[in-house]
């Protein structure tokens, strides 16, 4: 019987990832509970259970005090009965009296079984919680199960997670059995097991995907300094290399765009722009507004504001469709950016007299992607932004509208 118990505990330890010591402790507590139920006493402090963890041999006994007249059979033993065990016992001595667990009644046995099962369930929940708590703020791969109202239930293997509607990318649809990557927002411990909340819209999802795809990001050679994301549409990331021989943008893009395209595919076509990080806020803002060309940037590090001047024909491109390019650049840099065309700047006096003439940076265009000195930009910035075209949001500047007196007619 003890060999069978030992093998059963070994199997449980492997399958449930619950330590054998914990299971033996559960058995010990169940036997103590069975004693209390069998003898009808709320307390059985004199009952002792010993289990050998190597052989699973166990003994249950009660420590009874030798008395002249017995008033409590569970806690006391008469001097006569004590001397039958050992003639050396005297009044006041403590005698070990074996308790036969086989004599426990059906109710006591059932209660002992329930104690063991309850302990196993508690340990299972604790193991699952600890396992997924370690994955909090990381990415996991899940299988879509079903829609629960507007939310989606995702199977992560040993436990289900919930993808709430506000954490879904707008326009994405999820089919049962589809495998998707998710960012673990939070893991809560509940009586029914861990409750896991995941996201597809969090900016850190993009960072973790690049860590998985780009060796240089994973080992720390290339750092992702900042991320600005509008999930499902466009993301800008600023990267920095700790090794002067490693091009951070090139490392993230990969050969023929293989690395960045893998991330784009996982995000179902979301555009990703990669720029070089720069400690100089003016240069960082200039990079962040790419692929639009910039004539000048005047940044105030204390106020976290910047005035940017771009060529007239680049104003719509700098602002982006519905203000997206300027908005993402502002989030990426942490600056409130005021964008003006060259004509507007000259009229308002914001363009300095000694400002150097503007020259286009060298670039080439290939396979729908821009490659420039300052970064990598995917296609679609935006069709129709040519000289003379009308732009519905041309008075947008960063997070605010351009003052009325500076607006274009």
């Amino acid at each position: 019987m003890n060999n069978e118990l030992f093998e059963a505990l070994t199997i449980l330890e492997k399958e449930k990832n619950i330590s054998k010591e914990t299971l033996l402790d559960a058995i010990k507590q169940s036997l103590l509970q069975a004693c209390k139920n069998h003898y009808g006493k709320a307390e059985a402090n004199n009952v002792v259970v010993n289990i050998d963890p190597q052989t699973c041999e166990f003994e249950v006994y009660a420590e009874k005090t030798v008395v002249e007249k017995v008033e409590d059979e569970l806690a006391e033993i008469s001097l006569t009965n004590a001397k039958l065990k050992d003639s050396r016992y005297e009044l006041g001595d403590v005698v070990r009296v074996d308790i036969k667990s086989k004599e426990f009644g059906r109710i006591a046995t059932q209660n002992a079984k329930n104690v063991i099962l309850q302990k196993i369930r508690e340990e299972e929940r604790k193991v699952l919680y600890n396992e997924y708590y370690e994955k909090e703020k990381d990415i996991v791969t899940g299988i879509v199960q079903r829609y629960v109202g507007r939310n989606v239930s995702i199977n992560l293997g040993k436990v289900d997670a919930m993808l709430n509607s506000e954490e879904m990318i707008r326009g994405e649809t999820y089919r049962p059995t589809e495998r998707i990557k998710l960012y673990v927002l939070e893991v809560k411990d509940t009586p029914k097991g861990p409750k896991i909340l995941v996201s597809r819209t969090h900016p850190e999802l993009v960072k973790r995907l690049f860590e998985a795809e780009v060796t240089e990001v994973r080992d720390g050679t290339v750092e992702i300094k900042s991320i600005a994301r509008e999930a499902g549409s466009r993301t800008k990331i600023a990267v920095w290399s700790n090794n002067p021989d490693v091009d951070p943008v090139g490392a993230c893009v990969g050969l023929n765009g293989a690395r960045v395209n893998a991330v784009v595919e996982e995000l179902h076509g979301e555009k990703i722009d990669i720029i070089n990080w720069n400690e100089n806020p003016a240069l960082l803002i200039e990079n962040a507004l790419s692929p639009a060309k910039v004539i000048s940037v005047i940044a105030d590090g204390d106020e976290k504001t910047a005035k940017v001047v771009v060529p007239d024909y680049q104003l719509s491109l700098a602002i982006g469709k519905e203000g997206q390019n300027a908005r993402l650049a502002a989030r990426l840099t942490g600056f409130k950016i005021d964008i003006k065309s060259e004509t507007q700047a000259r009229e308002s006096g914001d363009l300095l007299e000694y400002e150097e003439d503007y020259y286009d940076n060298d670039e080439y265009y290939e396979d729908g992607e821009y490659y420039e000195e300052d970064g990598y930009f995917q296609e679609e910035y935006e069709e129709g932004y040519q000289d003379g075209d009308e732009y519905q949001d041309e008075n947008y500047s960063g997070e605010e509208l351009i003052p009325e007196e500076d607006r274009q007619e």
Side-chain angles (χ1 to χ4, degrees):
M1 178 63 184
N2 293 327
N3 289 335
E4 292 176 0
L5 177 59
F6 184 84
E7 291 176 3
L9 295 180
T10 302
I11 293 172
L12 276 172
E13 185 176 37
K14 292 180 179 178
E15 290 184 352
K16 305 291 187 180
N17 199 22
I18 303 173
S19 68
K20 193 174 296 181
E21 290 75 14
T22 300
L23 294 169
L24 288 173
D25 183 65
I27 294 173
K28 180 179 178 179
Q29 296 301 320
S30 70
L31 288 170
L32 289 172
Q33 184 64 44
C35 285
K36 295 177 183 180
N37 293 331
H38 180 69
Y39 291 106
K41 290 184 66 70
E43 296 292 338
N45 295 328
N46 63 320
V47 176
V48 178
V49 178
N50 286 329
I51 303 178
D52 187 334
Q54 302 301 322
T55 63
C56 286
E57 294 282 349
F58 68 92
E59 58 178 345
V60 184
Y61 59 86
E63 295 181 335
K64 298 186 178 183
T65 304
V66 179
V67 295
E68 189 71 39
K69 182 179 180 180
V70 176
E71 296 181 355
D72 184 347
E73 291 186 358
L74 186 60
E76 298 172 341
I77 186 171
S78 67
L79 180 60
T80 303
N81 289 335
K83 286 187 175 293
L84 290 176
K85 291 181 173 292
D86 192 322
S87 59
R88 292 173 295 181
Y89 282 125
E90 299 293 340
L91 291 174
D93 289 345
V94 177
V95 180
R96 286 187 176 185
V97 180
D98 291 338
I99 295 176
K100 303 298 183 182
S101 58
K102 290 183 179 180
E103 297 176 358
F104 291 164
R106 180 180 61 83
I107 295 177
T109 304
Q110 183 63 38
N111 289 339
K113 175 184 175 182
N114 291 338
V115 169
I116 295 174
L117 293 176
Q118 178 65 23
K119 185 65 174 179
I120 291 175
R121 283 193 291 266
E122 288 177 0
E123 287 301 315
E124 275 189 287
R125 288 198 297 268
K126 187 183 296 183
V127 167
L128 282 175
Y129 171 76
N130 291 335
E131 179 181 344
Y132 286 95
Y133 182 76
E134 293 176 358
K135 297 180 180 180
E136 197 173 68
K137 313 305 179 187
D138 203 351
I139 60 170
V140 293
T141 300
I143 300 175
V144 177
Q145 287 189 306
R146 64 190 181 279
Y147 275 86
V148 182
R150 297 175 58 194
N151 306 328
V152 178
S153 175
I154 309 289
N155 181 264
L156 301 182
K158 298 179 181 179
V159 69
D160 291 344
M162 187 61 67
L163 177 61
N164 294 330
S165 57
E166 59 267 23
E167 298 297 337
M168 299 179 192
I169 296 176
R170 184 178 298 179
E172 270 193 351
T173 55
Y174 306 100
R175 301 181 302 276
T177 72
E178 179 184 4
R179 300 177 70 88
I180 58 174
K181 293 190 184 299
L182 307 126
Y183 181 74
V184 181
L185 288 174
E186 186 180 16
V187 180
K188 296 180 180 178
D189 192 14
T190 71
K192 295 184 179 180
K195 181 180 179 181
I196 304 173
L197 301 177
V198 292
S199 173
R200 287 277 292 170
T201 62
H202 201 284
E204 285 292 309
L205 174 63
V206 179
K207 182 178 181 179
R208 297 301 184 188
L209 290 174
F210 270 103
E211 286 178 355
E213 291 291 335
V214 183
T215 306
E216 291 83 355
V217 174
R218 190 162 55 249
D219 64 21
T221 303
V222 173
E223 291 183 49
I224 298 178
K225 290 283 193 176
S226 181
I227 299 178
R229 184 183 185 202
E230 292 190 355
S233 179
R234 196 164 217 103
T235 293
K236 282 181 180 281
I237 67 172
V239 294
W240 170 266
S241 176
N242 293 308
N243 185 338
D245 296 327
V246 176
D247 173 22
V249 175
C252 293
V253 173
L255 183 64
N256 296 325
R259 290 173 168 178
V260 70
N261 286 339
V263 177
V264 170
E265 184 177 354
E266 177 59 41
L267 297 176
H268 296 170
E270 182 174 319
K271 306 300 179 183
I272 298 178
D273 299 337
I274 308 170
I275 70 162
N276 281 306
W277 171 269
N278 200 299
E279 295 293 339
N280 185 324
L283 294 177
L284 177 61
I285 292 168
E286 180 180 353
N287 293 347
L289 286 170
S290 295
K293 307 305 176 184
V294 174
I295 295 177
S296 71
V297 180
I298 302 175
D300 186 334
D302 295 330
E303 298 293 331
K304 288 292 182 179
T305 59
K307 294 183 178 181
V308 178
V309 179
V310 299
D312 290 355
Y313 72 96
Q314 292 274 292
L315 180 61
S316 293
L317 184 60
I319 294 172
K321 185 177 181 180
E322 297 180 354
Q324 185 183 68
N325 193 47
R327 189 165 56 248
L328 288 176
R331 292 178 189 170
L332 189 74
T333 61
F335 278 71
K336 184 157 63 171
I337 303 173
D338 180 15
I339 304 175
K340 292 183 179 180
S341 68
E342 184 176 3
T343 300
Q344 289 175 320
R346 291 189 184 280
E347 291 174 352
S348 62
D350 288 336
L351 190 63
L352 300 179
E353 294 291 337
Y354 56 83
E355 190 71 43
E356 294 182 0
D357 292 336
Y358 166 75
Y359 296 99
D360 284 348
N361 292 329
D362 292 337
E363 68 173 36
Y364 65 92
Y365 182 83
E366 179 181 305
D367 294 335
E369 296 160 351
Y370 288 103
Y371 294 83
E372 299 182 353
E373 292 180 358
D374 294 326
Y376 164 90
F377 311 95
Q378 291 193 308
E379 61 185 346
E380 192 191 272
Y381 260 113
E382 258 317 315
E383 307 94 5
Y385 290 159
Q386 303 297 327
D387 194 18
D389 282 350
E390 183 179 353
Y391 180 68
Q392 63 178 4
D393 225 1
E394 63 186 0
N395 290 312
Y396 177 87
S397 172
E399 300 295 334
E400 297 182 346
L401 293 176
I402 294 175
E404 186 174 351
E405 61 271 16
D406 294 332
R407 294 191 179 192
Q408 292 187 3
E409 293 297 321

